[in-house]
Amino acid sequence: LVSTEETREDVRAQLMDAEDWLYGDGDSVEADVYDAKQAELKNLTEPIMLRASELTARPEAMKKALAFVEETRTKLEKMPTLKPYLKPEEIKVATDELEAYEKYLADMDEKQNALKPTDELVLTSKMIYKRGQQLSKEMKLLNERKAPPPPPKPKADKKKKNATNVNATDA
């Protein structure tokens, strides 16, 4: 499903060659040569394994991302009431990031869905989460912002207070 028959045949052939090498010339080489051969085989199979794992991981990540978008939108709509001390431009930064993330998700999902399952991925679950981190950061800044302290109460004028006390004792 995530690789062509031709790709699978190529992988099989290279794995067989590696096995032959391992029991032939490879039985007396240095460890770094083994490591290089292992890395070569890993590079061969990793794209296939990634596409296979992303068959379930990407839809799940997309589902969570879209829920996060809706939850964030709701919070941003309530923000002026919940935190009236925030400036509109502060809220707009997060709103703009929300819209950018939502557009990114839609555009990249459309591009990924246009590809065949055997094509190289243009959108992964990791990319979805990573791109959402900036929106999370903006929301965290807004959520952690505390109300400014209330202005200090005006101090009572000591002269007036003392004058009142003087008059009260004289009477």
Side-chain angles (χ1 to χ4, degrees), residues 111-130:
K111 287 178 183 177
Q112 183 61 50
N113 290 335
L115 299 175
K116 295 182 281 187
T118 56
D119 290 340
E120 185 177 336
L121 301 173
V122 295
L123 180 64
T124 64
S125 55
K126 185 176 181 179
M127 293 165 70
I128 292 169
Y129 291 128
K130 185 173 174 78

Side-chain angles (χ1 to χ4, degrees), residues 32-100:
D32 59 334
V33 177
Y34 282 114
D35 292 342
K37 187 61 109 171
Q38 182 182 18
E40 181 183 316
L41 295 173
K42 190 174 183 181
N43 289 338
L44 185 67
T45 59
E46 267 184 352
I48 297 168
M49 301 304 286
L50 177 63
R51 287 192 301 270
S53 69
E54 285 295 318
L55 286 176
T56 56
R58 188 178 50 257
E60 184 62 28
M62 185 62 78
K63 180 180 173 184
K64 288 178 180 179
L66 293 175
F68 174 61
V69 163
E70 288 310 311
E71 175 186 321
T72 302
R73 185 184 322 284
T74 300
K75 286 180 180 178
L76 284 171
E77 289 169 356
K78 294 177 181 178
M79 198 68 69
T81 305
L82 296 174
K83 295 191 172 212
Y85 51 87
L86 290 174
K87 296 176 185 164
E89 49 276 7
E90 292 175 300
I91 296 172
K92 185 172 179 352
V93 170
T95 302
D96 290 349
E97 185 58 39
L98 170 70
E99 291 170 0

